[in-house]
PDB file of all heavy atoms in Angstrom:
ATOM      1  N   SER A  30      23.474  11.841   3.584  1.00 41.00           N
ATOM      2  CA  SER A  30      23.945  12.050   4.865  1.00 41.00           C
ATOM      3  C   SER A  30      23.118  11.344   5.910  1.00 41.00           C
ATOM      4  O   SER A  30      21.892  11.256   5.760  1.00 41.00           O
ATOM      5  CB  SER A  30      24.028  13.562   5.217  1.00 41.00           C
ATOM      6  OG  SER A  30      22.688  14.121   5.149  1.00 41.00           O
ATOM      7  N   GLN A  45      -2.405  23.398  14.375  1.00 97.00           N
ATOM      8  CA  GLN A  45      -1.594  23.549  15.563  1.00 97.00           C
ATOM      9  C   GLN A  45      -0.850  22.329  15.969  1.00 97.00           C
ATOM     10  O   GLN A  45      -1.308  21.174  15.734  1.00 97.00           O
ATOM     11  CB  GLN A  45      -2.490  23.989  16.744  1.00 97.00           C
ATOM     12  CG  GLN A  45      -3.338  25.268  16.470  1.00 97.00           C
ATOM     13  CD  GLN A  45      -2.401  26.467  16.201  1.00 97.00           C
ATOM     14  OE1 GLN A  45      -1.474  26.688  16.959  1.00 97.00           O
ATOM     15  NE2 GLN A  45      -2.742  27.202  15.195  1.00 97.00           N
ATOM     16  N   GLN A  72       2.697   9.539  21.595  1.00 97.00           N
ATOM     17  CA  GLN A  72       1.875   8.321  21.847  1.00 97.00           C
ATOM     18  C   GLN A  72       0.515   8.865  22.215  1.00 97.00           C
ATOM     19  O   GLN A  72       0.214   8.978  23.404  1.00 97.00           O
ATOM     20  CB  GLN A  72       2.505   7.485  22.896  1.00 97.00           C
ATOM     21  CG  GLN A  72       1.929   6.087  23.038  1.00 97.00           C
ATOM     22  CD  GLN A  72       2.285   5.191  21.878  1.00 97.00           C
ATOM     23  OE1 GLN A  72       1.559   5.162  20.885  1.00 97.00           O
ATOM     24  NE2 GLN A  72       3.413   4.469  21.896  1.00 97.00           N
ATOM     25  N   ALA A  76      -8.180  11.340  23.429  1.00 97.00           N
ATOM     26  CA  ALA A  76      -8.537  12.788  23.558  1.00 97.00           C
ATOM     27  C   ALA A  76      -7.994  13.552  22.324  1.00 97.00           C
ATOM     28  O   ALA A  76      -8.692  14.391  21.815  1.00 97.00           O
ATOM     29  CB  ALA A  76      -7.861  13.355  24.873  1.00 97.00           C
ATOM     30  N   TYR A 103      -4.760  22.348  -5.021  1.00 98.00           N
ATOM     31  CA  TYR A 103      -3.936  22.152  -3.830  1.00 98.00           C
ATOM     32  C   TYR A 103      -3.111  20.826  -3.962  1.00 98.00           C
ATOM     33  O   TYR A 103      -1.942  20.735  -3.635  1.00 98.00           O
ATOM     34  CB  TYR A 103      -4.800  22.067  -2.600  1.00 98.00           C
ATOM     35  CG  TYR A 103      -5.319  23.413  -2.128  1.00 98.00           C
ATOM     36  CD1 TYR A 103      -6.597  23.875  -2.389  1.00 98.00           C
ATOM     37  CD2 TYR A 103      -4.470  24.269  -1.359  1.00 98.00           C
ATOM     38  CE1 TYR A 103      -7.077  25.062  -1.894  1.00 98.00           C
ATOM     39  CE2 TYR A 103      -4.934  25.516  -0.857  1.00 98.00           C
ATOM     40  CZ  TYR A 103      -6.252  25.904  -1.195  1.00 98.00           C
ATOM     41  OH  TYR A 103      -6.686  27.098  -0.746  1.00 98.00           O
ATOM     42  N   ILE A 181      -6.022   5.463   7.567  1.00 97.00           N
ATOM     43  CA  ILE A 181      -5.057   4.671   8.302  1.00 97.00           C
ATOM     44  C   ILE A 181      -4.157   3.936   7.291  1.00 97.00           C
ATOM     45  O   ILE A 181      -4.630   3.212   6.485  1.00 97.00           O
ATOM     46  CB  ILE A 181      -5.836   3.638   9.161  1.00 97.00           C
ATOM     47  CG1 ILE A 181      -6.769   4.308  10.150  1.00 97.00           C
ATOM     48  CG2 ILE A 181      -4.776   2.778   9.953  1.00 97.00           C
ATOM     49  CD1 ILE A 181      -7.611   3.345  10.968  1.00 97.00           C
ATOM     50  N   LEU A 188       4.446   6.567   1.923  1.00 97.00           N
ATOM     51  CA  LEU A 188       4.243   7.821   1.217  1.00 97.00           C
ATOM     52  C   LEU A 188       3.169   7.713   0.158  1.00 97.00           C
ATOM     53  O   LEU A 188       2.202   8.459   0.126  1.00 97.00           O
ATOM     54  CB  LEU A 188       5.587   8.315   0.564  1.00 97.00           C
ATOM     55  CG  LEU A 188       5.455   9.603  -0.291  1.00 97.00           C
ATOM     56  CD1 LEU A 188       5.016  10.763   0.588  1.00 97.00           C
ATOM     57  CD2 LEU A 188       6.777   9.894  -0.946  1.00 97.00           C
ATOM     58  N   ASN A 255     -17.281   9.691   9.183  1.00 97.00           N
ATOM     59  CA  ASN A 255     -18.263   9.079   8.264  1.00 97.00           C
ATOM     60  C   ASN A 255     -17.673   7.880   7.475  1.00 97.00           C
ATOM     61  O   ASN A 255     -18.483   7.077   6.969  1.00 97.00           O
ATOM     62  CB  ASN A 255     -18.752  10.136   7.270  1.00 97.00           C
ATOM     63  CG  ASN A 255     -19.298  11.296   8.026  1.00 97.00           C
ATOM     64  OD1 ASN A 255     -18.566  12.300   8.270  1.00 97.00           O
ATOM     65  ND2 ASN A 255     -20.557  11.297   8.412  1.00 97.00           N
ATOM     66  N   LEU A 298      12.306 -17.460 -19.829  1.00 97.00           N
ATOM     67  CA  LEU A 298      12.741 -17.705 -18.456  1.00 97.00           C
ATOM     68  C   LEU A 298      13.728 -16.650 -17.919  1.00 97.00           C
ATOM     69  O   LEU A 298      13.750 -16.383 -16.741  1.00 97.00           O
ATOM     70  CB  LEU A 298      13.409 -19.142 -18.393  1.00 97.00           C
ATOM     71  CG  LEU A 298      12.489 -20.313 -18.790  1.00 97.00           C
ATOM     72  CD1 LEU A 298      13.167 -21.592 -18.432  1.00 97.00           C
ATOM     73  CD2 LEU A 298      11.156 -20.213 -18.130  1.00 97.00           C
ATOM     74  N   PHE A 310      11.780  -9.978  -3.920  1.00 97.00           N
ATOM     75  CA  PHE A 310      12.780  -9.408  -3.047  1.00 97.00           C
ATOM     76  C   PHE A 310      12.878  -7.888  -3.051  1.00 97.00           C
ATOM     77  O   PHE A 310      13.604  -7.326  -2.264  1.00 97.00           O
ATOM     78  CB  PHE A 310      14.132 -10.093  -3.343  1.00 97.00           C
ATOM     79  CG  PHE A 310      14.111 -11.583  -3.235  1.00 97.00           C
ATOM     80  CD1 PHE A 310      14.505 -12.387  -4.271  1.00 97.00           C
ATOM     81  CD2 PHE A 310      13.572 -12.134  -2.092  1.00 97.00           C
ATOM     82  CE1 PHE A 310      14.490 -13.758  -4.157  1.00 97.00           C
ATOM     83  CE2 PHE A 310      13.565 -13.553  -1.987  1.00 97.00           C
ATOM     84  CZ  PHE A 310      13.995 -14.353  -3.003  1.00 97.00           C
ATOM     85  N   VAL A 341      19.731 -14.968  -7.504  1.00 97.00           N
ATOM     86  CA  VAL A 341      19.492 -14.557  -6.139  1.00 97.00           C
ATOM     87  C   VAL A 341      20.745 -14.551  -5.293  1.00 97.00           C
ATOM     88  O   VAL A 341      20.979 -13.637  -4.500  1.00 97.00           O
ATOM     89  CB  VAL A 341      18.402 -15.460  -5.483  1.00 97.00           C
ATOM     90  CG1 VAL A 341      18.358 -15.193  -3.994  1.00 97.00           C
ATOM     91  CG2 VAL A 341      17.058 -15.258  -6.137  1.00 97.00           C
ATOM     92  N   LEU A 344      22.522 -11.312  -5.497  1.00 95.00           N
ATOM     93  CA  LEU A 344      21.915 -10.055  -5.075  1.00 95.00           C
ATOM     94  C   LEU A 344      22.750  -9.399  -3.959  1.00 95.00           C
ATOM     95  O   LEU A 344      23.260 -10.084  -3.074  1.00 95.00           O
ATOM     96  CB  LEU A 344      20.546 -10.353  -4.465  1.00 95.00           C
ATOM     97  CG  LEU A 344      19.325 -10.420  -5.359  1.00 95.00           C
ATOM     98  CD1 LEU A 344      18.070 -10.747  -4.582  1.00 95.00           C
ATOM     99  CD2 LEU A 344      19.162  -9.107  -6.155  1.00 95.00           C
ATOM    100  N   PHE A 405      12.249 -21.528  -1.222  1.00 98.00           N
ATOM    101  CA  PHE A 405      11.891 -22.946  -0.929  1.00 98.00           C
ATOM    102  C   PHE A 405      11.420 -23.566  -2.177  1.00 98.00           C
ATOM    103  O   PHE A 405      10.721 -22.907  -3.086  1.00 98.00           O
ATOM    104  CB  PHE A 405      10.741 -22.939   0.092  1.00 98.00           C
ATOM    105  CG  PHE A 405      11.215 -22.759   1.542  1.00 98.00           C
ATOM    106  CD1 PHE A 405      10.950 -21.550   2.167  1.00 98.00           C
ATOM    107  CD2 PHE A 405      11.825 -23.754   2.246  1.00 98.00           C
ATOM    108  CE1 PHE A 405      11.327 -21.351   3.464  1.00 98.00           C
ATOM    109  CE2 PHE A 405      12.182 -23.602   3.520  1.00 98.00           C
ATOM    110  CZ  PHE A 405      11.940 -22.376   4.160  1.00 98.00           C
ATOM    111  N   TYR A 432      -1.320 -26.580 -17.090  1.00 98.00           N
ATOM    112  CA  TYR A 432      -1.776 -25.237 -16.905  1.00 98.00           C
ATOM    113  C   TYR A 432      -3.025 -25.228 -15.969  1.00 98.00           C
ATOM    114  O   TYR A 432      -3.169 -24.367 -15.099  1.00 98.00           O
ATOM    115  CB  TYR A 432      -2.128 -24.581 -18.250  1.00 98.00           C
ATOM    116  CG  TYR A 432      -3.076 -23.364 -18.107  1.00 98.00           C
ATOM    117  CD1 TYR A 432      -2.617 -22.208 -17.537  1.00 98.00           C
ATOM    118  CD2 TYR A 432      -4.444 -23.498 -18.473  1.00 98.00           C
ATOM    119  CE1 TYR A 432      -3.463 -21.091 -17.339  1.00 98.00           C
ATOM    120  CE2 TYR A 432      -5.295 -22.386 -18.260  1.00 98.00           C
ATOM    121  CZ  TYR A 432      -4.811 -21.219 -17.758  1.00 98.00           C
ATOM    122  OH  TYR A 432      -5.624 -20.188 -17.537  1.00 98.00           O
ATOM    123  N   GLY A 486      -7.033  -2.804  -6.134  1.00 94.00           N
ATOM    124  CA  GLY A 486      -7.670  -3.439  -4.981  1.00 94.00           C
ATOM    125  C   GLY A 486      -7.854  -4.915  -5.201  1.00 94.00           C
ATOM    126  O   GLY A 486      -7.615  -5.392  -6.315  1.00 94.00           O
ATOM    127  N   LYS A 516     -38.781  21.510 -11.016  1.00 93.00           N
ATOM    128  CA  LYS A 516     -40.031  21.709 -11.704  1.00 93.00           C
ATOM    129  C   LYS A 516     -40.431  23.195 -11.577  1.00 93.00           C
ATOM    130  O   LYS A 516     -40.438  23.725 -10.463  1.00 93.00           O
ATOM    131  CB  LYS A 516     -41.135  20.852 -11.150  1.00 93.00           C
ATOM    132  CG  LYS A 516     -42.474  20.911 -11.881  1.00 93.00           C
ATOM    133  CD  LYS A 516     -43.477  19.974 -11.264  1.00 93.00           C
ATOM    134  CE  LYS A 516     -44.814  20.058 -11.930  1.00 93.00           C
ATOM    135  NZ  LYS A 516     -44.806  19.481 -13.279  1.00 93.00           N
TER     136      LYS A 516
END
Side-chain angles (χ1 to χ4, degrees):
S30 60
Q45 302 298 313
Q72 194 69 270
Y103 284 101
I181 303 176
L188 178 61
N255 303 94
L298 300 191
F310 303 128
V341 170
L344 274 180
F405 281 105
Y432 160 73
K516 184 178 179 70

